[in-house]
Amino acid sequence: MEGLARAMSTKTVAMLTAGGLAPCLSSAVGGLIERYTAVAPDMRIIAYRNGYAGLLTGNWIEANDKVRSEAGRLHAFGGSPIGNSRVKLTNVDDCVKRGLVKPGENPLHVAAEQLTRDGVDILHTIGGDDTNTAAADLAKYLSDNGYPLTVVGLPKTIDNDVIPIRQSLGAWTAAEQGAIYARNIIAEHSANPRMLIVHEVMGRNCGWLTAATAHEHHKWVKSAPFAEWVDNAAARWDVHGVFVPEQPFDIAVEAKRLRAIMDEQDGVNLFISEGAGVNEIVAAMETADEEVPRDAFGHVKLDKINPGAWFADQFAKHLGAEKVLVQKSGYFSRSAPANEADLELISACTHHAVEAALAGQSGVVGQDEDAGDELRVIEFERIKGGKVFDTSAPWFAELLRELGQAG
């Protein structure tokens, strides 16, 4: 009742989605609208278009009665209904370059003033570690400068790499969708003898998604009713190697193992994290005095340096591959609608986020690994990116054993 009373005196709640897509954004937006409509129907709800870009420029749209009544429809869709962008509020030069603020302006101040003009009392940020560390910077600025605002984030990333959150929204779906994608590209093995297929999976620093995608595909292979005749055989469709940033490997040893599979199966299927091998590629580019492309956050632009192609080149010559196919499932998997497991997690998180916001508690809602995976509001200062995948996880260790790959 205390939270409800606070809600009745609050004028406006705002939300934004930012960073890359994940199979949770539409559902999370819909869930927040549904929950506020249920427990605080008098609150005005607005959404900033295209993430922090919309906040800086005052580009927002209101959730009218029709949107509120049909918000549940958003659970069935991927993408974001309000648009995303990659904007770092503390990267002043980038914000100026993109025309989001004027020279000499502090983006944090511009954002704070815009929120004040819009009468916003609660801001929900839905994004990954970059989005929520930006939210942390904004929340601190607001607090330090006397702006009365509650900021509550939701953790979105298919990499599942936010510290200290056990499971990020959308990651389960992305793994499931990546495995579906793999079924089709691996069917390409029958198009050419001695085919090397490299399935490049998103994951800059964390191999969780690659490992989970390979695990999902391997489970499907074990249960699928193959005819076990020539190329329609489980062994031919299976995963033959999984490579993630957290697990070093000897290319000569792996090449020898995979060459035996190539000779026997007439093809090899590899699942590779886009972040695997990046250090080696960047070092080679810097040695050659080549410019390393980076985004506003300083991250290497992986689509520009193409790790999958590098891995394919490394292995093709060792395996005697006649044809090489490199395919990336990232945009396919991250744009899907949330699956049943993610919908359940999204519902729990959006409900908790609204409760926290109405109580004036800022932070990021998630399963806190340092508190026994309790779903709670995690303090902004504890939110970090770069969580590594635990390659000793029993399910992953079992996968490698079944594949005959050294762990």
Side-chain angles (χ1 to χ4, degrees), residues 372-403:
D373 295 340
E374 175 189 355
L375 184 64
R376 59 181 299 273
V377 181
I378 302 170
E379 298 76 13
F380 271 124
E381 58 269 21
R382 294 177 55 218
I383 299 296
K384 299 177 183 177
K387 183 174 78 171
V388 299
F389 168 55
D390 180 7
T391 57
S392 68
W395 61 268
F396 184 62
E398 180 182 0
L399 172 65
L400 296 188
R401 281 196 301 271
E402 293 184 2
L403 301 183

Side-chain angles (χ1 to χ4, degrees), residues 144-157:
D144 291 347
N145 291 276
Y147 293 88
L149 188 73
T150 299
V151 182
V152 182
L154 289 169
K156 169 262 355 165
T157 170

Side-chain angles (χ1 to χ4, degrees), residues 298-312:
H299 300 318
V300 175
K301 292 184 176 180
L302 297 176
D303 60 328
K304 301 296 184 183
I305 66 171
N306 211 349
W310 182 84
F311 261 92

Side-chain angles (χ1 to χ4, degrees), residues 116-397:
T116 300
R117 282 194 296 273
D118 296 335
V120 175
D121 300 277
I122 295 169
L123 174 65
H124 287 287
T125 58
I126 310 169
D129 58 289
D130 287 332
T131 298
N132 284 306
T133 53
D137 292 333
L138 179 59
K140 184 176 187 307
Y141 183 89
L142 293 167
S143 176
D144 291 347
N145 291 276
Y147 293 88
L149 188 73
T150 299
V151 182
V152 182
L154 289 169
K156 169 262 355 165
T157 170
I158 61 176
D159 297 346
N160 200 28
D161 64 347
V162 180
I163 299 172
I165 294 172
R166 171 65 63 186
Q167 189 68 33
S168 297
L169 308 184
W172 280 324
T173 305
E176 179 182 82
Q177 290 294 315
I180 292 171
Y181 181 93
R183 296 177 200 175
N184 287 5
I185 66 164
I186 288 176
E188 281 287 325
H189 73 259
S190 58
N192 206 89
R194 298 192 73 82
M195 174 86 87
L196 171 60
I197 295 178
V198 176
H199 177 192
E200 183 180 323
V201 183
M202 281 187 170
R204 176 180 300 277
N205 300 309
C206 179
W208 181 90
L209 182 59
T210 302
T213 302
H215 186 242
E216 286 294 316
H217 178 74
H218 182 61
K219 285 196 302 183
W220 171 77
V221 167
K222 290 197 296 184
S223 64
F226 288 101
E228 295 299 336
W229 185 65
V230 196
D231 282 340
N232 188 259
R236 186 62 194 85
W237 286 68
D238 212 344
V239 186
H240 299 129
V242 185
F243 300 97
V244 297
E246 297 87 349
Q247 191 166 56
F249 69 96
D250 186 321
I251 194 167
V253 171
E254 276 301 295
K256 182 178 180 180
R257 181 182 70 85
L258 294 170
R259 178 62 186 250
I261 294 173
M262 176 70 84
D263 292 342
E264 179 183 352
Q265 302 292 341
D266 205 31
V268 165
N269 309 316
L270 304 181
F271 282 55
I272 294 172
S273 169
E274 64 179 354
V278 167
N279 292 337
E280 290 83 355
I281 299 171
V282 169
M285 293 179 69
E286 291 176 340
T287 299
D289 292 326
E290 297 178 24
E291 182 180 354
V292 179
R294 299 179 185 274
D295 64 18
F297 292 89
H299 300 318
V300 175
K301 292 184 176 180
L302 297 176
D303 60 328
K304 301 296 184 183
I305 66 171
N306 211 349
W310 182 84
F311 261 92
D313 289 341
Q314 296 297 309
F315 278 113
K317 56 187 176 183
H318 292 290
L319 304 186
E322 184 176 308
K323 184 176 180 179
V324 178
L325 179 66
V326 180
Q327 295 287 289
K328 305 178 182 183
S329 62
Y331 293 110
F332 177 88
S333 61
R334 79 178 196 171
S335 302
N339 66 10
E340 185 175 344
D342 267 318
L343 286 173
E344 184 176 343
L345 181 60
I346 292 165
S347 177
C349 287
T350 52
H351 277 61
H352 200 95
V354 170
E355 180 181 338
L358 295 179
Q361 188 176 7
S362 292
V364 179
V365 172
Q367 299 162 316
D368 191 341
E369 291 183 306
D370 297 331
D373 295 340
E374 175 189 355
L375 184 64
R376 59 181 299 273
V377 181
I378 302 170
E379 298 76 13
F380 271 124
E381 58 269 21
R382 294 177 55 218
I383 299 296
K384 299 177 183 177
K387 183 174 78 171
V388 299
F389 168 55
D390 180 7
T391 57
S392 68
W395 61 268
F396 184 62

Side-chain angles (χ1 to χ4, degrees), residues 19-96:
L21 296 182
C24 65
L25 296 175
S26 286
S27 181
V29 169
L32 288 173
I33 294 173
E34 286 181 307
R35 189 60 181 164
Y36 275 111
T37 300
V39 302
D42 293 338
M43 289 188 69
R44 176 171 171 254
I45 303 173
I46 68 171
Y48 288 105
R49 300 289 308 278
N50 303 317
Y52 289 112
L55 172 55
L56 290 173
T57 58
N59 182 9
W60 55 265
I61 188 168
E62 186 165 353
N64 57 27
D65 290 342
K66 183 176 187 297
V67 171
R68 287 172 180 259
S69 66
E70 297 178 351
R73 296 185 180 186
L74 293 174
H75 297 301
F77 291 89
S80 170
I82 55 178
N84 280 28
S85 66
R86 291 186 182 276
V87 176
K88 187 175 179 65
L89 296 178
T90 54
N91 189 337
V92 180
D93 291 341
D94 183 65
C95 289
V96 171

